[in-house]
Amino acid sequence: MSTSVGAIAALVSLVLTGCTAGTGTARTASPTSNAKATTAGTKLTYAQDLRISDAEQHLVALCMRKQGFRYWEEKPLSLEESRPLGYVQDDVAWARRHGYGSRISAKEDRARLRNPNIAYRASLSRSRQNAFDIAMDGGRDAVVLTLRTPSGGTITKQSGGCARQAQQSLYGDPEAWFRSETTVNNLRPLYVGKLLRDKEFKSAVTAWSRCMSKAGHPFPDPDAARRSTREHSAEQNRAEEARTFTNETRIAVADASCARSVSLRAIGERREAHYVGELAAQYGHALDTHLRMQRDALTRAEHLVPART
């Protein structure tokens, strides 16, 4: 089975950037895939992926209001705050402003706790709560989608109500979208171990570690550097949080600077593309379908909501 260069590129950088297959910037596919360019376009940027998500929220809100319920669209973060992070983070300016994103995560947590939709549902009578749930996702009578993942697990999802209608409007076929998204988003376990053991990538991480040690931050790899910034009490006063964030920012800036100086992202992406290319024969159809449905959804989303700023 052959798959498109664009579809393979849509999977590359999942480990390195922390993106889902629909986020991050376009990359070049590995020549080891022996793939044909059968699907037009490249992977979506994270900004485009957010636009689809915002459009889905918008469609759910419209549907719920038609069902007689109030519903608030959720957009807690700016475009910059929504930037995905992963194993390699080499944007020094972003690190200087946000560190590793601890304050952004805290902002997200506050937004979840203050979600007006949860408070609104809780204010309803039991019968109205049941009606709300049915309107939202179909309730107990909704279709349950099930798929075995490439790594051997099983994922199930309830598909009904306004949530299903929103996906129908964006993707055309909720079942096909569930199958392709679940498959593509669960390919990482098949190759991440190979990538982290890859000789060239390990050599780049070692060079990064030497750079960090010279900067006064002796860590073996980027993950260890990031974990070190989380070693503090969950309950901090303002002064403690400020000191913690200053330390986080200092390490994150050094991390990003060293990653850039040793080309850790470029090397990692090239080796990741190699291992992703090895999956094309078995998972090419899912990759192609996922990319095609994403781009179709983006076209529809662009007519529904503005780009996030």
Side-chain angles (χ1 to χ4, degrees):
M1 178 187 296
S2 64
T3 185
S4 72
V5 169
I8 292 179
L11 182 58
V12 175
S13 298
L14 288 181
V15 172
L16 298 174
T17 66
C19 307
T20 64
T23 58
T25 54
R27 309 296 178 195
T28 301
S30 165
T32 60
S33 64
N34 295 316
K36 293 180 181 179
T38 58
T39 301
T42 55
K43 66 186 289 189
L44 273 61
T45 66
Y46 80 91
Q48 292 171 324
D49 196 51
L50 278 174
R51 196 165 187 178
I52 295 174
S53 177
D54 289 345
E56 190 168 344
Q57 279 279 311
H58 180 66
L59 289 169
V60 168
L62 292 176
C63 178
M64 290 296 286
R65 290 165 193 162
K66 288 180 181 178
Q67 299 295 320
F69 296 100
R70 300 178 70 187
Y71 193 86
W72 290 261
E73 298 174 40
E74 301 171 42
K75 296 181 183 178
L77 302 180
S78 68
L79 179 62
E80 178 174 326
E81 291 170 331
S82 301
R83 174 181 174 165
L85 294 178
Y87 190 79
V88 178
Q89 203 301 91
D90 62 357
D91 188 327
V92 178
W94 196 95
R96 190 170 288 117
R97 289 189 296 271
H98 302 291
Y100 287 120
S102 63
R103 286 181 172 175
I104 296 174
S105 296
K107 182 178 179 180
E108 283 187 291
D109 290 341
R110 290 193 297 271
R112 278 192 289 268
L113 290 173
R114 299 169 184 170
N115 188 329
N117 294 312
I118 295 176
Y120 171 69
R121 182 187 179 282
S123 73
L124 301 175
S125 66
R126 183 167 296 181
S127 62
R128 286 292 286 167
Q129 286 182 2
N130 185 55
F132 181 96
D133 294 342
I134 292 174
M136 172 57 72
D137 60 17
R140 295 179 180 178
D141 294 329
V143 172
V144 176
L145 306 177
T146 303
L147 188 74
R148 191 164 180 79
T149 69
S151 57
T154 300
I155 291 180
T156 61
K157 175 185 176 181
Q158 189 165 302
S159 179
C162 290
R164 180 183 175 87
Q165 286 186 39
Q167 290 205 335
Q168 180 86 41
S169 297
L170 287 171
Y171 299 105
D173 185 339
E175 283 82 2
W177 172 245
F178 171 74
R179 290 193 300 271
S180 67
E181 183 186 39
T182 299
T183 299
V184 170
N185 287 352
N186 285 275
L187 289 177
R188 264 183 285 185
L190 302 186
Y191 73 88
V192 64
K194 295 179 181 179
L195 174 63
L196 296 178
R197 292 189 301 270
D198 180 88
K199 183 178 179 180
E200 187 178 357
F201 184 62
K202 285 178 66 177
S203 179
V205 171
T206 299
W208 172 94
S209 182
R210 285 196 300 268
C211 176
M212 287 291 282
S213 293
K214 290 178 182 178
H217 306 292
F219 297 107
D221 54 55
D223 187 51
R226 193 167 309 182
R227 286 200 313 269
S228 74
T229 66
R230 300 169 185 160
E231 296 171 357
H232 55 76
S233 170
E235 301 296 329
Q236 299 183 99
N237 59 39
R238 281 189 180 179
E240 290 170 335
E241 191 278 336
R243 286 193 294 271
T244 296
F245 185 69
T246 296
N247 179 63
E248 173 188 334
T249 302
R250 185 183 302 113
I251 295 174
V253 167
D255 180 351
S257 299
C258 287
R260 186 171 289 273
S261 71
V262 303
S263 301
L264 183 58
R265 178 186 294 277
I267 293 169
E269 285 174 350
R270 184 171 65 252
R271 298 311 298 154
E272 187 170 13
H274 168 80
Y275 295 114
V276 171
E278 294 179 342
L279 303 176
Q282 185 171 359
Y283 298 105
H285 178 70
L287 286 163
D288 271 328
T289 300
H290 189 263
L291 180 59
R292 174 180 55 77
M293 296 187 81
Q294 277 188 316
R295 299 200 67 81
D296 288 347
L298 176 62
T299 298
R300 293 165 184 140
E302 289 171 341
H303 295 287
L304 293 169
V305 294
R308 197 180 298 194
T309 57

